């Protein structure tokens, strides 16, 4: 049994016996003929002492447990944040020497949302906030923990966020339609063809979100990519304030020795690798949708796409592209297309630009594979 339960039972027994013994000792002093052992005639006196002792002990122990629990779990929440911080600092130093410190959070076989700052910003959400969050859920048949997401969205102002979900098994998701609607999440049409390492479902999600009236208008927009096993570990107000402090794209870049490289027309080029879970601004989301529409080739039999080079403005130039087949190290497209369609490829002439982009981008998620964090 849990430690508090065992401690309570042991304390109850010891204190009860001590009180009963004290009562019997007092009676033996007043009445020497009274025996100092328990027999049937002692039952009324033992029951009285026992019950009084139990009332006192129960109140004291329960109060102590409540105080201990509130203190302990508040420390656990604080410690878990710093544990993740230390864990991610090592991970980020290994994967991205230019990014230092903890920048995000997520658990389970995929991810969990979390902020980068130490201090929690003071919630300051207006009734009709101009800046908005868009949560994009990639699901198979349901969320892993809809109860946690329900609590997360419960205190969020109605117009501060919207959710869009893509289900690979739409019938199963439709069984929970009302719970999604209660959370402000709309289901998008299922993309039956999953070529391109699941890029198409993401493309459907982002395109549907961009076409919605909610995204239109002034203000910042942040598109948050999550999946069924993603869990938030901070309150909505924290996530809202943190992600909308700037209009930057938050992409967790991998170290340069993991980038796919190739030589085109005598020039060394590289596709910048990154994690698949990203937070994009409006421009980044639009670039991803446009890029996949115009850069994807031969969908009927092969998952080939073209990568744009970086233009003079520091963003992808879709009129100057290179086939992905010209690069080595084939990998999941989702680990390259966001950086490629927003900024373009890496090459020596744009080295300074990339040195400016990478440190500004923040990792907002971390991975837990099974029971081991990485």
């Amino acid at each position: 049994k849990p430690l508090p339960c065992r401690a309570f039972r042991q304390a109850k027994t010891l204190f009860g016996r001590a009180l009963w013994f004290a009562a019997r000792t007092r009676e033996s002093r007043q009445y020497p003929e009274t025996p100092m052992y328990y027999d049937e005639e002692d039952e009324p006196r033992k029951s009285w002492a026992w019950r009084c002792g139990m009332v006192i002990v129960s109140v004291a122990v329960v109060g102590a447990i409540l105080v201990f629990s509130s203190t302990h779990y508040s420390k656990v929440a604080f410690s878990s944040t710093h544990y993740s911080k230390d864990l991610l600092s090592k991970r980020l130093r290994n994967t991205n020497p230019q990014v230092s410190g903890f920048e995000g959070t997520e658990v389970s076989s995929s991810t969990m949302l979390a902020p980068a700052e130490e201090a929690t910003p003071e919630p300051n959400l207006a009734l009709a906030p101009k800046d908005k969050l868009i949560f994009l859920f990639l699901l198979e048949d349901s969320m892993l923990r809809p109860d946690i997401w329900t609590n997360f969205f419960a205190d969020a102002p109605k117009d501060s966020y919207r959710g869009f979900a893509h289900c690979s098994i739409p019938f199963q998701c439709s069984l929970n339609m009302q719970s999604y609607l209660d959370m402000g999440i709309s289901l998008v049409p299922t993309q039956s063809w999953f070529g391109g390492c699941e890029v198409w479902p993401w493309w459907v999600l982002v395109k549907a979100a961009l076409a919605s009236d909610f995204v239109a208008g002034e203000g910042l927009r942040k598109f948050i990519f999550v999946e069924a096993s993603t869990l938030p570990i901070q309150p909505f107000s924290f996530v809202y304030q943190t992600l909308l402090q700037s209009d930057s794209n938050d992409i967790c870049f991998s170290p340069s020795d993991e980038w796919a490289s190739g030589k085109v027309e005598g020039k060394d080029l590289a596709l910048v690798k990154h994690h698949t879970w990203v937070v994009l601004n409006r421009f980044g989301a639009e670039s991803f949708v446009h890029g996949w529409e115009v850069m994807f080739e031969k969908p009927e039999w092969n998952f080939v796409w073209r990568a744009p080079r970086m233009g003079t403005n520091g963003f992808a130039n879709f009129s100057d592209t290179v086939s992905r087949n010209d690069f080595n190290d084939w990998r999941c497209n989702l680990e390259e297309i966001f950086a490629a369609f927003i900024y373009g490829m890496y090459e020596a002439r744009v080295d300074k630009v990339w040195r400016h982009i990478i440190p500004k981008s923040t990792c907002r998620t971390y991975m837990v594979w099974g029971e081991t964090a990485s």
Side-chain angles (χ1 to χ4, degrees), residues 20 24 35-46:
W20 176 78
R24 295 298 293 116
M36 284 299 297
Y37 56 86
Y38 169 76
D39 58 23
E40 295 297 331
E41 295 181 357
D42 282 331
E43 180 60 32
R45 284 190 288 268
K46 178 189 174 185

Side-chain angles (χ1 to χ4, degrees), residues 75-118:
K75 288 183 178 180
V76 166
F78 182 79
S79 299
S80 65
T81 301
H82 285 271
Y83 170 75
S84 300
K85 180 175 180 179
D86 296 337
L87 180 68
L88 280 176
S89 295
K90 296 178 182 178
R91 173 65 175 172
L92 293 176
R93 282 195 294 271
N94 292 334
T95 60
N96 188 359
Q98 293 178 317
V99 180
S100 61
F102 168 65
E103 309 296 333
T105 321
E106 281 200 15
V107 294
S108 163
S109 62
S110 70
T111 48
M112 186 179 275
L113 295 174
E117 289 73 13
E118 285 275 327

